[in-house]
Amino acid sequence: MHWADVIALNLSRRGTKHIVSTGITPSGEFHIGHLREILTGEMISRAAKDAGLEVDFIFIVDDADPLRRVYPFLDEEYSKYIGHQIGNIPAPNAEGKPDYERFNENGWNYADHFLNPFLDALKTIGVRPRIVKNLESYSSGMFSECSKIACDNADKIREIIERVSGRELSDSWFPWSPLDSSGSLEGVTVTGYDFPLVHFIDSKGNKGSSDITKGEGKLPWRIDWPAKWAWIGVTCEAFGKDHGASGGSYDTGKEICQLFGYDAPQPLVYEWISLKGKGAMSSSSGNTIGPMEALELVPPEILRFLIAESKPSKAIEFDAGMSLVNLADEYERSCARDLTLELSDESLSRRRKVQLEDLMGAVRLSSIERNSKSDSSNVSFRHLALLAQTKSNDQLVWDSLGLNSSNPPSSILIDRLEKMRTWIESPHFPEEMRIKIIKQAPVEMLQNFSDDEKLVLANLTEMLENCSWDLDTIASCIVDSAKSIEKSPRLAYGVSYICLMGAKKGPRLAPILVELNQQEIVNQFRLCLENVN
RNA sequence: GGGCCUGUAGCUUAGUCAGGUAGAGCGACGGACUCUUAAUCCGUCGGUCGCGGGUUCGAACCCCGUCAGGCCCGCCA
């Protein structure tokens, strides 16, 4: 059974109504690592719906979190906002400076600045969660009840965190972080509690009080999280392995949640996505691929497939080079198979059955719209990469695929071709996929030619020189150059590939040659002929 | 120091919860085809399941130890 279906099955044992939650702090540019958080949750939701459950899928935006430091993409001016809640400070402009104008005019804040493009990207991959903003939730009193319980039971919470995480909390620790008069959560020391007020002294020695029912501060993360579960009614949440480690925030949250009179949600821990050969994704080192950038290259259903086919516990190494080709082709191959039919075979081993079920689940969860047929283009990535490189315009590609006005290309295929062209232009496109005629064939390969191959090369050179330069003629020249000495055309193709591309195999030749200059090609063959002996 | 996750064919991996002769895809190799293009079709090769012990009639799976990579135990999501 697919991993998402396994979770759905567990959920069905707990009840029929569920709230599946995900959450991210928009403290900087999103990257595809964040996509795993959202997609994992979305796939669980979809699987749960498929299992007949009623599901609400939400995305909690942690815009109540403070700005931790001045990130490399920010101007030094942001240092004054350290400790301030990211939903309450201006967004950076192109130079990384705070954009006061937009902030004052229409409230364009730091969190939204990073969040909104991500939400757009989510739309294109078929993810439309209900958005819950933390800052709003605090100020509208959604956290009030849990905040009161937390403050009333500060000792119990302290005990749980110290025992479960094994770390010691300072004497001044309190389960509420008040905002000081300047709007900062940092350097504030709690001095007393008298519901609904938490009294404090800030870093400059100013005293003040924070009303916990009005969002004049927030719960620290380890309490904030279980409080969300409780007030929202979260029954399932997928989270990164950092939270999932034993003694981590899920473990403490699970117990703290009980104080709120709520059972912790069904957990699912997922691994990180890293960039192949470059280690973990990190915005500061520039070692990152944003969801938007990824979606320019990768068709959305294939990005989904990447997440769907990997078990959450497996680390994913993302790579926009050859791995992408293989991934996309595997998706196409899988779509083309009739997995239901294959599964109906009684003689299948249990193992084989499980494999087919998982694959079927992955394909099902990869389609952009739930319950739609798989978003297959029926053309392999490899094939499309060739067409995009050898055909100068889209119409020629459709012609080659046998598509015309009565049998037009699908919107998926049109989208694929557009992305393919972007990809080919990008530095991510793998060299081994790039079609290019080399200037000089490797002499070593030429000198290993058999007598037959030499003969074919001589034939071919002469035939190409004298033929008319069109598709059919070129093709028959190649075939005939071998047939004339009663050899398989394969031999002639092999010879041609070595001379033109330095490899034993290659893409179908005639359509490529016809785009090139006849005399240059002939000259190249002639040059090879001189080198064979 | 304490804990968690991962380690299976060249690559990606399934199988580990419920122990029963190691499964798959890709690649590679061989063959067919050159009449939709690195395609397609057919076939072959490929694994001491990180390592060492233990339990068992039987271990990739359970137990103990060990090595390697990653993560958490810093209010950090």
Side-chain angles (χ1 to χ4, degrees), chain A residues 259-326:
Chain A
L259 295 175
F260 301 143
Y262 193 78
D263 286 329
Q266 159 86 39
L268 176 63
V269 180
Y270 62 84
E271 253 282 357
W272 301 131
I273 297 184
S274 60
L275 288 186
K276 191 165 190 173
K278 290 183 179 172
M281 205 148 328
S282 151
S283 313
S284 54
S285 65
N287 181 24
T288 171
I289 290 192
M292 286 66 82
E293 188 188 348
L295 283 166
E296 278 172 20
L297 307 170
V298 191
E301 61 277 11
I302 286 166
L303 216 42
R304 291 185 65 107
F305 187 64
L306 175 70
I307 306 296
E309 66 139 14
S310 314
K311 294 206 307 184
S313 62
K314 290 282 177 186
I316 293 177
E317 282 200 350
F318 183 79
D319 150 40
M322 270 322 280
S323 310
L324 180 54
V325 180
N326 293 329

Side-chain angles (χ1 to χ4, degrees), chain A residues 161-178:
Chain A
I161 293 177
E162 291 193 326
R163 171 170 47 79
V164 178
S165 78
R167 80 178 210 256
E168 211 168 303
L169 297 172
S170 76
D171 291 342
S172 62
W173 180 89
F174 193 74
W176 179 261
S177 301

Side-chain angles (χ1 to χ4, degrees), chain A residues 14-31:
Chain A
R14 290 173 59 143
T16 53
K17 279 188 160 185
H18 289 277
I19 297 183
V20 178
S21 170
T22 59
I24 298 174
T25 304
S27 57
E29 292 289 351
F30 282 78
H31 50 68

Side-chain angles (χ1 to χ4, degrees), chain A residues 402-533:
Chain A
L403 302 168
N404 50 47
S405 50
S406 59
N407 181 22
S410 66
S411 59
I412 288 169
L413 192 52
I414 293 171
D415 177 65
R416 287 278 174 92
L417 181 59
E418 190 191 322
K419 293 199 161 106
M420 182 58 76
R421 293 203 190 279
T422 309
W423 188 42
I424 290 167
E425 297 298 315
S426 83
H428 302 291
F429 191 75
E431 277 311 303
E432 62 178 292
M433 293 283 291
R434 195 151 264 154
I435 295 176
K436 54 171 184 253
I437 303 297
I438 56 173
K439 289 208 171 66
Q440 169 70 61
V443 175
E444 199 181 317
M445 292 182 92
L446 295 174
Q447 292 185 334
N448 284 332
F449 270 13
S450 66
D451 288 344
D452 283 345
E453 285 168 324
K454 288 175 192 168
L455 210 52
V456 166
L457 177 57
N459 281 345
L460 183 57
T461 308
E462 199 187 322
M463 289 166 93
L464 285 178
E465 181 152 38
N466 299 315
C467 78
S468 80
W469 205 246
D470 64 76
L471 196 68
D472 292 340
T473 314
I474 296 172
S476 52
C477 281
I478 299 171
V479 173
D480 292 343
S481 70
K483 285 195 172 164
S484 65
I485 60 161
E486 293 180 347
K487 291 290 169 188
S488 160
R490 177 183 261 271
L491 190 70
Y493 279 99
V495 166
S496 309
Y497 290 129
I498 288 173
C499 292
L500 297 173
M501 297 176 183
K504 288 180 186 168
K505 282 200 211 168
R508 208 178 150 95
L509 261 185
I512 296 169
L513 294 188
V514 77
E515 304 280 339
L516 299 168
N517 179 281
Q518 179 173 17
Q519 199 51 51
E520 282 177 24
I521 295 298
V522 171
N523 286 345
Q524 174 134 354
F525 276 117
R526 205 167 285 291
L527 191 67
C528 291
L529 203 49
E530 287 166 15
N531 278 303
V532 287
N533 292 316

Side-chain angles (χ1 to χ4, degrees), chain A residues 119-134:
Chain A
L119 292 180
D120 289 341
L122 287 183
K123 262 181 217 158
T124 72
I125 55 175
V127 180
R128 291 183 170 77
R130 192 180 111 214
I131 305 294
V132 175
K133 293 197 176 177
N134 227 21

